DNA sequence: AACACGGGGCA
DNA sequence: TGCCCAGTGTT
């Protein structure tokens, strides 16, 4: 790293950052717990999306001890709707590990932070630099973009070699003084100025030092491989009620929407035979056989050809045709306190599930 | 190296 | 509709 160049980047970027930046709740605190929590929340998540969750989360779990002592269900409930639900279990597990193995004190160096669940190179660097002042880089999508343009990195940044280049260049920039502010400034620049498309180079404090801008190739960087076509897959759920309750299943943690409660189903029927077996699966349950088995076709509200995230995911082996052991009949008031797949919560609300169970069972067909 | 994992914003 | 985003862990 050319030292005068690095110095120029630091001074200009920090001056720009100090002159004004977005106000974020986790920037107003020095509490490592809140900074750590914010970093978990913001993994692959826009600031605007994560902020309300951050506010609710710190109100619900104001310190590390309260989070560590909470039930996983409560933590997931606070995360409901944000996505990437694995993060909720990771931050919960991390809080427990910090209490158990670090005396309740959040580790202050990136290397130790990286041993905690859900903390990788980015989050370790962000927390170490922002909360504890360690001079380490925090390379996220923004920093990757900014650095690749600043130094005109032509390599594919998704490969190991490309990532290493970016990481090394970023490490050479981080100042000993105010490393956290510098890392945030880099991210801020990437979010507001050095944007993915049509970067605002005339407004950029680093334009004069930027190799991509000098060559006019900034919009072509960073280089990434062509994306693969997403494929829509059919997904079915069963809406089954009995005696004023609805059947919910806690989804396996390793699968999509893992750990949340959903309507039974959610597998990917690959053909007609697979689709029929969902009905078999429903009918196999004893309680269903008693109450609704003969009416499964009538009471089951099956959604097919539902598009999830636009990506293909694995078909789940159908197993023995029994419902998961977590299957549970749940009353309306209890649903409100469970971490339920957000789409299903909306659906249940639309079907009147928030109202007394009698009206829930009443005829409600009405065409406009 | 490739994949899985959510949801929302934007052109 | 396609791409991107304050990434990480598994296979």
């Amino acid at each position: 790293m050319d030292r005068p160049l690095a110095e120029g980047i630091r001074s200009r970027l920090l001056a720009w950052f100090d002159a004004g930046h977005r106000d974020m709740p986790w920037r107003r605190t020095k509490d490592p717990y809140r900074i750590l929590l914010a970093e978990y929340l913001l993994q692959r998540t826009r600031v605007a999306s994560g902020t309300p969750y951050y506010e609710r989360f710190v109100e619900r779990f104001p310190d590390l001890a309260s989070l560590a002592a909470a039930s996983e269900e409560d933590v997931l409930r606070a995360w409901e709707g944000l996505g990437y639900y694995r993060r909720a279990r990771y931050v919960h597990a991390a809080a427990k590990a910090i209490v158990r193995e670090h005396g309740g004190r959040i580790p202050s160096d990136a290397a130790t932070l990286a041993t905690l669940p859900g903390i990788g190179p980015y989050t370790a660097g962000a927390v170490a630099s922002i909360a504890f002042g360690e001079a380490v880089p925090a390379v996220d999508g923004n920093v990757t973009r900014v650095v690749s343009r600043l130094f005109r990195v032509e390599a594919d940044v998704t490969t190991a070699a490309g990532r290493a280049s970016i990481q090394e260049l970023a490490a050479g920039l981080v100042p000993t003084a105010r490393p956290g502010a510098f890392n945030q400034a880099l991210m801020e620049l990437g979010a507001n100025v050095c944007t993915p498309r049509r970067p605002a180079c005339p407004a950029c404090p680093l334009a004069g030092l930027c190799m991509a801008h000098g060559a006019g190739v900034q919009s072509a960087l960073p280089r990434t491989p062509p994306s693969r076509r997403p494929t829509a897959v059919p997904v079915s759920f069963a809406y089954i009620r009995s005696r004023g309750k609805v059947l919910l299943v806690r989804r396996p943690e390793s699968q999509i929407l893992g750990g949340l409660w959903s309507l039974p189903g959610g597998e990917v029927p690959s053909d007609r035979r697979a689709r029929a077996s969902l009905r078999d699966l429903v009918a196999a349950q004893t309680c269903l056989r008693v109450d609704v088995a003969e009416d499964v076709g009538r009471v089951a509200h099956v959604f097919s050809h539902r598009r999830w995230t636009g990506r293909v995911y694995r078909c789940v082996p159908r197993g023995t045709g029994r419902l998961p052991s977590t299957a549970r009949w749940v009353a309306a008031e209890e649903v409100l306190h469970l971490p339920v797949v957000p789409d299903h919560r909306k659906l249940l609300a639309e079907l009147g599930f928030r109202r007394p169970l009698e009206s829930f069972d009443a005829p409600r067909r009405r065409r406009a």
Side-chain angles (χ1 to χ4, degrees), chain A residues 202-222:
Chain A
C204 180
L206 305 182
L209 305 174
C210 181
M211 296 171 63
H213 180 248
V217 299
Q218 64 274 15
S219 291
L221 297 178

Side-chain angles (χ1 to χ4, degrees), chain A residues 5 16 36 54 71 128 197 214 227 268 277-278:
Chain A
L5 174 58
W16 171 82
L36 180 73
Y54 171 83
S71 71
R197 274 159 303 210
S227 60
V268 183
S277 72
L278 173 62

Side-chain angles (χ1 to χ4, degrees), chain A residues 31 39-40 82-83 91 97 106-107 112 127 131 158 167 175 220 225 234-235 243 249 253 276 297 309:
Chain A
D31 181 359
E39 292 303 337
Y40 272 99
L82 186 57
V91 74
I106 295 174
T112 309
V127 173
T158 68
Q167 184 80 20
V235 176
R243 296 176 180 176
V249 171
E253 299 202 354
T309 63

Side-chain angles (χ1 to χ4, degrees), chain A residues 18-278:
Chain A
D18 291 338
H21 54 72
R22 291 179 293 179
D23 180 41
M24 301 175 193
W26 48 92
R27 279 217 183 107
R28 297 189 218 121
T29 182
K30 293 197 169 185
D31 181 359
Y33 165 71
R34 296 191 175 212
I35 293 168
L36 180 73
L37 175 63
E39 292 303 337
Y40 272 99
L41 274 163
L42 292 169
Q43 286 171 5
R44 297 293 280 184
T45 302
R46 290 169 185 277
V47 169
S49 303
T51 299
Y53 283 85
Y54 171 83
E55 304 277 18
R56 282 203 296 273
F57 212 97
V58 292
E59 188 173 340
R60 178 77 182 75
F61 308 106
D63 52 39
L64 188 82
S66 64
L67 178 58
S71 71
E72 183 175 280
E73 187 172 293
D74 282 346
V75 178
L76 275 170
R77 185 73 177 82
W79 211 274
E80 182 187 290
L82 186 57
Y84 283 126
Y85 300 96
R86 193 175 53 166
R87 294 180 294 171
R89 292 193 294 278
Y90 282 150
V91 74
H92 187 214
K96 289 182 166 182
I98 291 166
V99 166
R100 195 176 61 246
E101 298 166 21
H102 301 279
R105 306 274 296 184
I106 295 174
S108 60
D109 63 288
T112 309
L113 283 163
T115 67
L116 293 168
I119 295 189
Y122 164 75
T123 306
V127 173
S129 64
I130 297 170
F132 299 106
E134 188 181 8
V136 290
V139 179
D140 69 344
N142 286 316
V143 174
T144 296
R145 188 169 54 254
V146 171
V147 170
S148 71
R149 288 171 175 170
L150 260 180
F151 299 98
R152 198 179 171 182
V153 176
E154 298 279 359
D156 180 344
V157 298
T158 68
T159 65
R163 283 199 305 272
S165 300
I166 301 292
Q167 184 80 20
E168 189 178 340
L169 288 166
L173 292 177
V174 180
T176 308
R178 304 185 67 202
F182 178 82
N183 285 334
Q184 290 178 75
L186 224 37
M187 293 187 265
E188 184 84 0
L189 189 75
N192 292 345
V193 177
C194 195
T195 51
R197 274 159 303 210
R198 299 164 55 109
C201 299
C204 180
L206 305 182
L209 305 174
C210 181
M211 296 171 63
H213 180 248
V217 299
Q218 64 274 15
S219 291
L221 297 178
R223 271 185 53 188
T224 56
S227 60
R228 299 174 49 169
R229 265 290 140 29
T231 306
V233 294
V235 176
S236 300
F237 290 95
Y239 170 62
I240 303 164
R241 60 172 170 75
S242 175
R243 296 176 180 176
K245 297 190 176 184
V246 65
L247 187 68
L248 293 185
V249 171
R250 190 171 195 259
R251 304 180 61 81
E253 299 202 354
S254 59
Q255 297 172 20
I256 191 168
L257 301 170
L260 270 62
W261 291 82
S262 76
L263 301 171
E267 299 89 350
V268 183
S270 55
D271 55 22
R272 186 179 300 279
R273 187 178 57 79
R275 192 182 307 266
S277 72
L278 173 62

